[in-house]
Amino acid sequence: MGSDGIGALDGIKRIATEEAYAPPDLIARYKQLIRDGVTGDAGFESLMGYFLFNNSERTNAIVDRLQDLGQRRLADMDATGVARQIISLTAPGLQVFDADTAAGLAISYNDQLAEAVGTHADRFTGLAAVAPHAPSAAAKELERAVNHLGLRGAIVNSHTQGEYLDDEKFWPLFEAAESLGVPVYLHPQTPPPSMIKPLLESGLDGAIYGFAVETGMHLLRIIMSGVFDRFPKLKLVVGHLGEAIPYWLFRVDFFHRGIVSTGRYERLKPLKLKPSDYMKRNVYVTSSGMAWEPVIMYARSVLGADRVLYAMDYPYQYQPEEVLVTDHLPISQPELKQFYQSTAQQVFGI
Ligand code: 1DF
Ligand code: MN
């Protein structure tokens, strides 16, 4: 298949599950927000300002690729032997806009994505953009996107203007996802103003580390809130091999048990299961941006081989040679098929 010597695998399709796009209209709106300086979100202004105004070969190549839902994307997939991309709106999605604007844009961008997915149904699957800060509209839009447009889940780019999905006001989205049987992909974005200072001043706010700090914490907040006791069949997908949380589970379980037993925090309440149990029951992690054998094997050993799926993180981490790392994981062919293909087909209902 590929021009880089990355061929088809015998009987296995590589499905990449955290692949980004941006409608040109979204790029224009982001530029306008940054020029107007109205978001009050230093992380957004720094990172999107970099991508949209740096004007370097690196950033221009990424921004061009983000906007393509046709031949260029397909050629890049061919070059890396990716059979199918699961495509979602790039971070921070609609979450920088006011709730009404965001809810309106979700509808038109989902219509556009569904059209591209329909044109290339053999190569593309889409996730719905939603406005988490318009909770009932978000639930309704997810239902429309799944039942009428054929999209296969929702993307949420971590915090929404400093608020987290552990707040019950956001739960109509979880309720809809559970009842539709589709996952919510919790994707990173830069930390909100209330947590960004030490990360931004050190240049660590973005994908290098700040994304994981912010999104890993968000994942823990969701688990601690009892959302998975309320919605036991809810599926959450988290990138970057779980934003470091698999590494922390022993300590999280230990201190959760201790703190809950003393009633120290009202918000940290008893749960039916250990925090780590929800990671194994309700959460899937993808290998986006982490083509690194020891950590993929670690995540598999802690969460279970059936919880770890492949992602590339196109176009932000479009590195064809990284596919060779996952091709050569020290696992059997049936396990490699599970990693690249079958788990994704199950989770996203492809
Ligand atoms: C970057 C990476 C930016 C990812 C992203 O959204 C993003 C980056 C603005 O490289 O700065 O979603 N990523 O998922 O790896
Ligand atoms: Mn990503």
Side-chain angles (χ1 to χ4, degrees), residues 74-238:
L74 291 165
D76 289 343
M77 289 165 66
D78 289 344
T80 46
V82 170
R84 177 177 295 278
Q85 279 194 350
I86 299 184
I87 301 172
S88 50
L89 200 61
T90 194
L94 305 172
Q95 292 158 245
V96 278
F97 301 107
D98 68 76
D100 285 348
T101 304
L105 289 175
I107 294 170
S108 66
Y109 293 168
N110 288 336
D111 285 344
Q112 289 171 34
L113 178 60
E115 198 178 313
V117 165
T119 306
H120 304 288
D122 56 333
R123 305 297 300 276
F124 294 166
T125 295
L127 299 184
V130 292
H133 42 335
S136 62
K140 210 172 133 207
E141 177 56 11
L142 180 59
E143 255 170 62
R144 185 187 78 96
V146 171
N147 289 335
H148 299 284
L149 302 179
L151 302 182
R152 296 303 313 154
I155 181 89
V156 174
N157 294 289
S158 202
H159 75 87
T160 302
Q161 298 174 25
E163 296 193 303
Y164 294 88
L165 298 176
D166 59 339
D167 186 328
E168 291 198 22
K169 74 180 179 188
F170 294 115
W171 291 11
L173 178 65
F174 288 145
E175 188 178 4
E178 187 196 45
S179 80
L180 292 162
V182 297
V184 174
Y185 202 120
L186 187 70
H187 187 279
Q189 69 150 309
T190 46
S194 55
M195 92 184 267
I196 202 166
K197 186 171 184 289
L199 290 158
L200 188 59
E201 73 191 12
S202 55
L204 295 175
D205 55 299
I208 186 172
Y209 188 62
F211 277 21
V213 173
E214 144 63 32
T215 313
M217 180 192 71
H218 194 168
L219 173 58
L220 286 180
R221 287 183 66 133
I222 290 171
I223 291 172
M224 298 306 168
S225 73
V227 85
F228 297 120
D229 287 340
R230 178 86 74 86
F231 307 110
K233 293 206 170 359
L234 176 63
K235 295 180 281 190
L236 213 60
V237 184
V238 182

Side-chain angles (χ1 to χ4, degrees), residues 262-336:
T262 59
R264 179 174 171 195
Y265 296 102
E266 202 186 322
R267 286 279 286 273
L268 220 52
K269 49 183 183 265
L271 299 172
K272 288 187 179 162
L273 304 174
K274 297 197 297 292
S276 63
D277 292 330
Y278 299 102
M279 284 295 291
K280 296 173 200 170
R281 189 188 75 178
N282 297 93
V283 179
Y284 294 85
V285 305
T286 79
S287 67
S288 53
M290 291 285 260
W292 193 20
E293 178 190 309
V295 184
I296 296 173
M297 297 309 289
Y298 173 77
R300 288 167 54 91
S301 77
V302 170
L303 302 179
D306 58 337
R307 315 305 297 189
V308 183
L309 333 54
Y310 173 67
M312 178 178 286
D313 227 339
Y314 181 91
Y316 293 105
Q317 203 152 337
Y318 177 56
Q319 301 292 330
E321 70 282 0
E322 290 186 353
V323 176
L324 299 173
V325 172
T326 39
D327 281 0
H328 293 108
L329 288 172
I331 57 180
S332 68
Q333 283 299 103
E335 288 175 316
L336 191 64

